[in-house]
Amino acid sequence: MYVGRFAPSPSGPLHLGSLVVAVASFLDARAAGGRWLVRIEDIDTPRSVAGADKLILQQLSALGMTWDGDVWYQSERLAAYEHAFETLQAKGLVYPCGCTRREIADSVLAAHGRLPDGERPYPGTCRDGLAPGRKPKSWRFRVLPDTVRFHDRWCGDQAQCVAEQVGDFVIRRADGIWAYQLAVVVDDAEQGITDIVRGQDLLSSTARQRALAQALELPTPSVMHLPLVTDGQGLKLSKQNGAPAIDTNNPLKTLVSAWQYLGLGDLSASNLEQFWGEATARWAGHFYE
Ligand code: GLU
């Protein structure tokens, strides 16, 4: 039985970029005859905006996107993350790290002569124990040297050696907050998620999440990572760069503009019900036949 989910962070109302993800995950679940869950990822409390969760749920309802079951909130799931952390700890797979960002950048620079673009793999400074006098700040997951391979339903076959490209990564941050990577793996497993549909900005997190799931002996959902909606300068639309909230006064127009980003051709719907009927059939024809 298919179980999908939409997992917005409540840092503001939905914009076109997050709506495209919501629409695609909803269509994928409905086309598969499955369930579609909504999970509010409010674990990063400094970035959560009060009331944004309610606003997002209202926006989804106004567009005719009804979710199954209760909405989960990550802020209510801290005991589950603690439990997973303890499981990893008992297996010797976590260790405290005393490094600051600055020190990590300096040691990567010393080892490579330059700072690579994008992600800087953690050089493993605290892997064999904290240097004397060092205080633990964050906690890292001890990554195995294997290459993680998976198939992405949009992007095709993927492979990432997490040890080389990311290094041991943080699962509990220096501010005490559980890292997104740990929370998402624990929640996806506990909610029985079989299929993840989300934006391509998270494609590079998938190998990390699979590595964690494997260490926790949890199943790994199938994944589909959608192209990101970008602004005129090629930047991902985001709340941080001021993407406007979607217009729910004109739901059909808003849905049609999100649909166009999925590249599955035009629809002739003239009301919400027709839109969902046609869009679900088109999605099913493309991905399930
Ligand atoms: N909460 C994440 C976001 O809003 C999505 C997480 C996920 O789908 O795994 O970008």
Side-chain angles (χ1 to χ4, degrees), residues 148-162:
V148 179
R149 293 176 200 281
F150 59 93
H151 177 76
D152 185 278
R153 291 171 59 211
W154 194 288
C155 306
D157 290 336
Q158 307 290 317
Q160 188 187 52
C161 177
V162 180

Side-chain angles (χ1 to χ4, degrees), residues 5 7-9 39 41 180 184 196 198 201-202 209 236:
R5 48 53 159 204
S9 306
R39 180 170 77 225
E41 301 211 321
Y180 155 70
V184 80
I196 294 174
R198 61 186 176 192
D201 52 333
L202 295 170
Q209 292 169 11
K236 179 197 167 198

Side-chain angles (χ1 to χ4, degrees), residues 35-57:
R35 287 163 57 76
W36 186 66
L37 311 183
V38 173
R39 180 170 77 225
I40 301 290
E41 301 211 321
D42 58 348
I43 198 169
D44 191 349
T45 32
R47 290 181 58 191
S48 295
V49 172
D53 58 325
K54 294 278 177 297
L55 211 52
I56 292 171
L57 297 174

